[in-house]
Amino acid sequence: TQLLEQSPQFLSIQEGENLTVYCNSSSVFSSLQWYRQEPGEGPVLLVTVVTGGEVKKLKRLTFQFGDARKDSSLHITAAQPGDTGLYLCARDSNYQLIWGAGTKLIIKP
Amino acid sequence: DSGVTQTPKHLITATGQRVTLRCSPRSGDLSVYWYQQSLDQGLQFLIHYYNGEERAKGNILERFSAQQFPDLHSELNLSSLELGDSALYFCASSVGVANNSPLHFGNGTRLTVT
């Protein structure tokens, strides 16, 4: 199977702290998308990574695609309450996306 | 605003009933995807249409069906509803079928089966 495992499943931290969440697969994939879903809304695309070793930054968010293209991470610096949400990763598979179960992140003020 | 419109926002119905969920994709997008999301869980892919034709099926029950119309809007029909069908149902659209085309999601229909 081509499952995507996200860890941790749940994370609750104080405002201002740093954090990293992970997305791992047992098989190589050509691209990976990260989405954030806020309560009551649909997921919104944050970034797509396609090249092994690629690093993309979106303000305080840093996304990395592993060299072996089997894993990806999302690092948030100085987390803010507005970062609260469900972070989902999705990988390509035969013109469809396979989704991880998500990391539920809560940033406490 | 993603440009994807889903109606209704909320739906409460009884077991055994049938409902229809509607989705209007973002202007210019030919692909429509339907997903189910149960409480605190990830997205379960149901079905994908591209330009009116079914392209892929995921974990969609036989009691569920969908279609995409010539104007590209899509409907998801859920019949013989069971309590376990209570969930958020999301529609997403994208320009093509390529797996690296970003998906644009609507805000979902929350279905409650009582």
Side-chain angles (χ1 to χ4, degrees):
Chain A
T1 58
Q2 300 172 332
L3 295 177
L4 270 182
E5 292 188 3
Q6 290 193 246
S7 60
Q9 289 183 322
F10 179 78
L11 186 58
S12 179
I13 63 172
Q14 292 293 138
E15 180 178 3
E17 294 183 9
N18 301 331
L19 66 107
T20 303
V21 298
Y22 301 90
C23 177
N24 296 300
S25 172
S26 59
S27 57
V28 175
F29 42 93
S30 60
S31 68
L32 188 99
Q33 301 178 17
W34 282 94
Y35 290 77
R36 178 171 65 212
Q37 182 180 17
E38 299 185 18
E41 298 182 8
V44 175
L45 179 69
L46 296 174
V47 76
T48 301
V49 286
V50 297
T51 305
E54 181 177 9
V55 176
K56 283 192 174 179
K57 291 192 173 185
L58 189 65
K59 296 184 181 178
R60 294 173 295 98
L61 278 59
T62 301
F63 303 85
Q64 185 158 9
F65 198 10
D67 291 338
R69 297 166 73 173
K70 291 184 178 181
D71 57 273
S72 181
S73 64
L74 159 59
H75 181 79
I76 301 180
T77 304
Q80 298 178 2
D83 297 326
T84 291
L86 179 67
Y87 287 80
L88 295 159
C89 63
R91 59 157 287 179
D92 63 289
S93 176
N94 298 324
Y95 299 103
Q96 298 298 327
L97 289 176
I98 294 176
W99 294 80
T103 293
K104 188 170 184 178
L105 176 64
I106 295 177
I107 309 299
K108 295 176 285 188
Chain B
D1 182 9
S2 68
V4 178
T5 303
Q6 287 188 251
T7 57
K9 288 186 178 180
H10 301 277
L11 198 49
I12 302 174
T13 189
T15 55
Q17 296 298 305
R18 172 190 169 94
V19 298
T20 297
L21 312 184
R22 195 178 191 278
C23 170
S24 293
R26 205 175 59 131
S27 178
D29 285 357
L30 298 179
S31 274
V32 169
Y33 303 79
W34 285 98
Y35 288 90
Q36 181 192 59
Q37 186 177 44
S38 300
L39 187 63
D40 288 337
Q41 291 189 13
L43 294 167
Q44 297 297 317
F45 169 63
L46 295 177
I47 198 164
H48 169 209
Y49 280 86
Y50 176 78
N51 203 21
E53 294 188 3
E54 179 185 305
R55 293 302 298 260
K57 270 188 176 180
N59 298 321
I60 188 167
L61 300 171
E62 287 191 8
R63 300 183 286 108
F64 296 180
S65 65
Q67 59 185 128
Q68 187 180 28
F69 295 87
D71 67 353
L72 300 178
H73 90 272
S74 179
E75 293 182 352
L76 178 66
N77 301 296
L78 315 176
S79 61
S80 302
L81 284 168
E82 301 175 0
L83 295 177
D85 297 329
S86 296
L88 268 169
Y89 290 85
F90 285 103
C91 165
S93 71
S94 68
V95 171
V97 296
N99 49 30
N100 56 6
S101 278
L103 298 187
H104 301 271
F105 283 82
N107 283 335
T109 292
R110 181 175 294 280
L111 174 66
T112 302
V113 183
T114 62

